[in-house]
Amino acid sequence: PIALLAIPILDTTVAVVSRLYRDISPFTGGRDHLSHRLMRIGIHRKYAAITLWAASGVFGLLAYAIYQSENSIFAYIAGAGWVALLAFFLRIPSEDK
């Protein structure tokens, strides 16, 4: 289930960490979600959505592979991919300054 929800969990994690880092309440709205960050680096809104949907699909396939496989390599791949995406999105500035 965690792999299936990897992108929504990543989005929430990035937004909360970003807001806490800037001393803003995590319950305050803002433009620090994944889609906003993708648009900030120049990706059009439509392609930002498609990118996040595709990433969700990849994690969905990994979740299925984890479920079907007796080998845990797919779980490590999913975990490493999630950490890599977290690092990538946290490096993109959260607000236009």
Side-chain angles (χ1 to χ4, degrees):
I2 293 172
L4 286 174
L5 296 171
I7 298 301
I9 293 170
L10 180 68
D11 183 41
T12 303
T13 303
V14 167
V16 168
V17 168
S18 172
R19 291 173 192 171
L20 290 175
Y21 180 76
R22 293 179 290 135
D23 292 326
I24 299 172
S25 170
F27 302 107
T28 302
R31 294 186 177 209
D32 48 5
H33 290 278
L34 301 182
S35 59
H36 297 123
R37 290 171 185 261
L38 288 173
M39 289 187 296
R40 197 166 296 112
I41 62 172
I43 297 175
H44 187 269
R45 178 185 297 191
K46 177 180 176 180
Y47 296 115
I50 290 171
T51 300
L52 294 175
W53 292 338
S56 291
V58 168
F59 277 103
L61 290 173
L62 278 171
Y64 183 72
I66 292 167
Y67 176 73
Q68 291 295 324
S69 176
E70 293 179 9
N71 190 348
S72 63
I73 189 71
F74 294 110
Y76 292 119
I77 292 170
W82 192 88
V83 169
L85 285 173
L86 178 65
F88 171 76
F89 280 110
L90 284 175
R91 296 199 38 91
I92 299 172
S94 60
E95 296 287 335
D96 291 328
K97 293 185 180 183

